[in-house]
């Protein structure tokens, strides 16, 4: 996992033994804390199933877009919004972050998370 579920967790690698350690296994669906606020009503989610670069995009009713997961080559659209050195180093964003609305015109009407890309359709002319 690269944080693409938005629960703030990911796999950790133990460098000394090359074993992957899971912090916690999510066996049942659970709500993403970032979207508990009723003002952020989720209307669409799109997830990439890329083995090496998984990520998720979420569109809210107000036309906003949130992203989390592996940000390889900037595909999350967050630009310089990675706030900690560890996030910049690992390229993983483990909780959904809003994509700056000044970077796109209008409101998002569709999102798609692909293998190593993301796309969005807006209602702008």
């Amino acid at each position: 996992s690269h944080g693409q579920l938005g629960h703030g967790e990911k796999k950790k690698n133990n460098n000394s033994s090359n074993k992957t350690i899971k912090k916690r296994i999510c066996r049942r669906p659970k709500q993403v804390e970032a979207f508990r606020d009723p003002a952020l009503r989720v209307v669409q989610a799109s997830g990439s199933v890329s083995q090496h670069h998984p990520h998720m995009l979420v569109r809210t009713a107000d036309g906003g877009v949130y992203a989390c997961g592996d940000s390889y080559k900037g595909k999350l659209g967050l630009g310089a919004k990675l706030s900690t050195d560890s996030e910049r180093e690992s390229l993983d964003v483990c909780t959904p972050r809003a994509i700056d609305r000044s970077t796109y015109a209008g409101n998002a009407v569709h999102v798609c998370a692909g293998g190593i890309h993301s796309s969005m359709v807006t209602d702008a002319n």
Side-chain angles (χ1 to χ4, degrees):
S1 168
H2 292 270
Q4 71 270 24
L5 295 180
H7 295 298
E9 302 166 351
K10 67 176 192 168
K11 286 183 184 178
K12 286 188 169 182
N13 288 324
N14 180 341
N15 293 333
S16 62
S17 65
N18 289 331
K19 291 182 182 176
T20 299
I21 301 169
K22 293 182 183 176
K23 281 180 80 176
R24 188 168 67 177
I25 297 172
C26 183
R27 297 198 187 277
R28 286 186 272 182
K30 70 178 189 176
Q31 184 171 5
V32 175
E33 290 296 320
F35 299 114
R36 276 198 189 276
D37 181 353
L40 292 176
R41 190 169 61 89
V42 173
V43 293
Q44 181 192 4
S46 177
S48 162
V49 293
S50 169
Q51 178 180 357
H52 301 292
H53 305 292
H55 67 292
M56 178 176 67
L57 298 176
V58 174
R59 181 173 58 92
T60 55
D62 67 352
V65 179
Y66 290 75
C68 59
D70 178 67
S71 66
Y72 178 70
K73 293 196 174 185
K75 72 175 172 240
L76 296 183
L78 299 173
K81 285 189 169 248
L82 300 181
S83 61
T84 66
D85 288 338
S86 63
E87 284 177 336
R88 281 191 290 274
E89 288 172 16
S90 71
L91 301 177
D92 294 338
V93 176
C94 297
T95 56
R97 302 252 180 116
I99 295 175
D100 185 352
R101 295 200 61 160
S102 69
T103 63
Y104 59 96
N107 295 311
V109 295
H110 187 78
V111 294
C112 181
I116 57 170
H117 70 280
S118 296
S119 63
M120 167 191 334
V121 176
T122 69
D123 61 5
N125 291 332

